[in-house]
Amino acid sequence: SARKWFFTVANRGNKIHQFYVGELYYFGINCNIDYHEAIKWYKKSAIQGYADAAYSLGVMYLYAEGTDECEVAAERWLMEACDLGSEDAKKLFLEFSNSSVNTNKNKQTQSIINFPAVRKNSCDINITNAKDNRKSSKAKIINLFSEK
């Protein structure tokens, strides 16, 4: 079956398939939605340098999907995604840093993003964009899943 094939390849360490297994759990495709499992698989993929996985982790930490809100982790994974070439992460990170630069840097995290302001002031635009990106991703995984 397609599910077995995705998991077999992901368990062998393929970062792209690890990302897609994370997507299956994130969207609940042929399984229940399970954000904890999605995070687990996204991390496996992101650690190997897959930009989409790092971006997905950053967004999940930013909006506390399946995890506690964690500004340090959100910024870490979004920056990692930027470094890996994710255009979505670059757009999101630039929007956040340009519109909400934290002039009183938190000395513990040295964050350049004022996360509470981002969550409050950018909800409409950024959540809509993130949802559009996720819908596109969901359509892609459904297509991939049905082809195998």
Side-chain angles (χ1 to χ4, degrees):
S1 77
R3 181 178 173 83
K4 184 178 178 182
W5 180 78
F6 266 72
F7 277 84
T8 299
V9 176
N11 279 317
R12 290 182 182 156
N14 182 289
K15 66 185 178 185
I16 296 168
H17 285 81
Q18 289 171 338
F19 169 73
Y20 285 127
V21 168
E23 294 281 83
L24 292 173
Y25 282 115
Y26 183 86
F27 293 114
I29 299 170
N30 291 350
C31 63
N32 291 325
I33 291 173
D34 188 335
Y35 290 149
H36 296 288
E37 280 295 310
I39 288 170
K40 179 179 97 175
W41 287 99
Y42 288 153
K43 279 185 182 176
K44 287 181 180 196
S45 177
I47 287 168
Q48 293 187 73
Y50 197 65
D52 289 344
Y55 171 75
S56 295
L57 281 170
V59 171
M60 288 184 82
Y61 280 109
L62 182 63
Y63 294 108
E65 292 181 307
T67 184
D68 291 334
E69 195 174 272
C70 183
E71 297 168 1
V72 174
E75 187 169 9
R76 172 190 174 215
W77 288 114
L78 289 173
M79 289 178 72
E80 178 73 16
C82 287
D83 291 344
L84 293 169
S86 169
E87 292 302 317
D88 290 332
K90 288 176 186 176
K91 288 177 196 171
L92 190 64
F93 201 86
L94 285 174
E95 276 182 46
F96 286 173
S97 58
N98 287 338
S99 65
S100 314
V101 173
N102 188 350
T103 54
N104 299 316
K105 280 189 176 185
N106 179 321
K107 290 182 178 156
Q108 280 185 316
T109 64
Q110 292 298 304
S111 176
I112 63 167
I113 300 174
N114 182 344
F115 284 96
V118 165
R119 288 187 197 96
K120 181 179 178 188
N121 298 329
S122 64
C123 283
D124 294 338
I125 294 170
N126 291 312
I127 289 177
T128 299
N129 290 343
K131 285 182 179 177
D132 288 345
N133 289 342
R134 299 307 287 158
K135 283 180 190 173
S136 173
S137 185
K138 183 177 182 178
K140 184 177 180 180
I141 188 67
I142 288 171
N143 286 338
L144 282 172
F145 196 81
S146 63
E147 289 175 7
K148 302 293 177 197

